Amino acid sequence: MERYDKAALNAANIPPADFSQNDGSLLSTLKTLLFFTILMIMLPIGLYFSSKVYVFEGAYGMSNKDSYFYAAIVAVIAVHVVLAMFVYVAWNEGSRQWREGKQD
């Protein structure tokens, strides 16, 4: 039989960390990140194809080559708008948490 000293046994029985205070904040942050990740993927791709087919080729009657170019510009603008929205939401969430922590 192997012998274990008490310090090694006590070190193995470390209680789990208490994350109950940060669960709401962590879940909110995860939801925000997931929302903007999906938005970052879906919005530019959707706008690219819909603006190419319906706006530039359909409404304006552009050639296939020109519609690719302008649809790509629309998609890049959409990416920048989503990034700006994410920064705005993250900034406000951080300042809100800082204010709540400051009042305690």
Side-chain angles (χ1 to χ4, degrees), residues 95-104:
S95 65
R96 180 178 48 93
Q97 288 175 354
W98 181 78
R99 278 185 267 136
E100 288 174 358
K102 192 75 168 177
Q103 293 173 353
D104 288 343

Side-chain angles (χ1 to χ4, degrees), residues 32-98:
T32 303
L33 184 63
L34 185 63
F35 172 73
F36 280 104
T37 300
I38 292 171
L39 196 65
M40 179 64 81
I41 293 169
M42 300 300 288
L43 187 69
I45 293 172
L47 282 177
Y48 174 79
F49 287 110
S50 63
S51 67
K52 179 187 178 312
V53 171
Y54 298 115
V55 176
F56 298 118
E57 289 178 358
Y60 293 135
M62 291 183 173
S63 69
N64 193 22
K65 189 176 185 180
D66 289 339
S67 65
Y68 280 130
F69 177 73
Y70 291 112
I73 290 173
V74 169
V76 168
I77 290 171
V79 166
H80 284 85
V81 168
V82 171
L83 282 174
M85 288 176 14
F86 175 72
V87 168
Y88 177 76
V89 168
W91 183 269
N92 283 339
E93 184 176 310
S95 65
R96 180 178 48 93
Q97 288 175 354
W98 181 78

Side-chain angles (χ1 to χ4, degrees), residues 1-14:
M1 280 178 106
E2 296 179 5
R3 290 186 166 230
Y4 297 104
D5 59 357
K6 289 183 181 182
L9 287 175
N10 287 337
N13 292 328
I14 297 174

